[in-house]
Amino acid sequence: MRSDLVMARVLVSLLVAASGLIAAPVALAQTAGASDCGAPPPIEKSVFSDLVFVGRVTEVANEGRSATVEVTEVWRGDVPTPVVVNGSPNPADPGEHDRFFDLGATYLFIPGQLDSLAQGVVTDSLCSSTTLWTDDLARLRPAEVGKPLPVATASSGPNPLAFLGGLAMPILTAGLVAGSAFVVAWFVARRREA
C-alpha cells in the first residue's frame, strides 16, 4: 500500500514536470517572434516581396487590428478583393507588434506572411513595410500593375475562432493537471480498497 502512494507521488511529479517541459518551449516559441522583429526593411526593397498591393480600408474590426480592404492595384502576387488584412496573427488578442488600420485610409500593403491568402485573409504586423499611401509612393509603382482577383471566396471578416490560438496552452496545462488529479484519485481509491 505504501508503495502505491509513493508511485502516485512519482507519477504526479512526472506529469507536472512534463507539463513544464511542454509549456516552456511552446510559450517561448509563441513570444520569440513577437518580442522583437526589428525595423521593417526599406520600402524600396520591400516592393519586390511576393505580395504587394494597394487598397482602401472599407471596414475595421478588433479595435482596428483587422481591416476589410478593397484592393485597387496589385503590384506583385495574386490578391482577391475584398481581402481581410489582420494586423497580427491573432487580432482578437492584443500584441506588442499589432498593426492598426484607419477606416477609409489607403495603404501600400507589403504583408510579411502569406499563410492564409487562399482563404481571403492576409496577416500583417508592424514588422512589415506596409504604410499609408502617399503620392510619393507612386514612383515605386511597377510598369505593369495587375488587377485584383474576383471577390474572395472566404467570408470577408475576421476569423471568429481566432481567439482559440491563445487558449491552446491553458487548455493543455488544464488537461495535464486534470490527468494528474485523476491518477492521484485512482491510487487513493485503490489504496482504500486494499
Side-chain angles (χ1 to χ4, degrees):
M1 283 190 254
R2 181 139 172 89
S3 64
D4 287 343
L5 187 56
V6 170
M7 185 60 128
R9 288 181 180 164
V10 168
L11 283 173
V12 168
S13 297
L14 288 173
L15 286 170
V16 169
S19 68
L21 289 174
I22 292 170
V26 170
L28 285 173
Q30 289 177 343
T31 60
S35 63
D36 184 24
C37 61
I43 291 178
E44 290 78 10
K45 290 183 180 180
S46 297
V47 293
F48 295 103
S49 297
D50 292 335
L51 184 64
V52 181
F53 60 97
V54 178
R56 187 177 66 82
V57 175
T58 59
E59 184 181 332
V60 292
N62 295 309
E63 299 174 351
R65 285 185 298 275
S66 292
T68 300
V69 176
E70 190 68 34
V71 178
T72 55
E73 298 179 5
V74 178
W75 291 12
R76 294 181 63 87
D78 294 320
V79 186
T81 191
V83 66
V84 173
V85 180
N86 289 327
S88 72
N90 186 2
D93 185 21
E96 183 179 357
H97 296 291
D98 292 353
R99 181 177 294 284
F100 292 86
F101 302 101
D102 295 323
L103 183 63
T106 299
Y107 292 85
L108 172 60
F109 289 93
I110 311 172
Q113 300 178 26
L114 306 178
D115 54 352
S116 55
L117 181 58
Q119 299 162 355
V121 179
V122 175
T123 302
D124 202 348
S125 73
L126 284 179
C127 301
S128 78
S129 297
T130 294
T131 188
L132 274 169
W133 178 262
T134 62
D135 290 338
D136 180 54
L137 295 171
R139 66 185 166 77
L140 301 172
R141 183 181 280 127
E144 293 186 30
V145 174
K147 297 285 184 193
L149 299 174
V151 176
T153 56
S155 65
S156 60
N159 181 356
L161 301 177
F163 70 93
L164 287 178
L167 294 177
M169 196 68 220
I171 290 171
L172 177 63
T173 302
L176 288 172
V177 169
S180 299
F182 175 78
V183 168
V184 169
W186 181 74
F187 272 109
V188 169
R190 195 168 157 217
R191 182 175 171 216
R192 287 184 182 162
E193 287 176 2

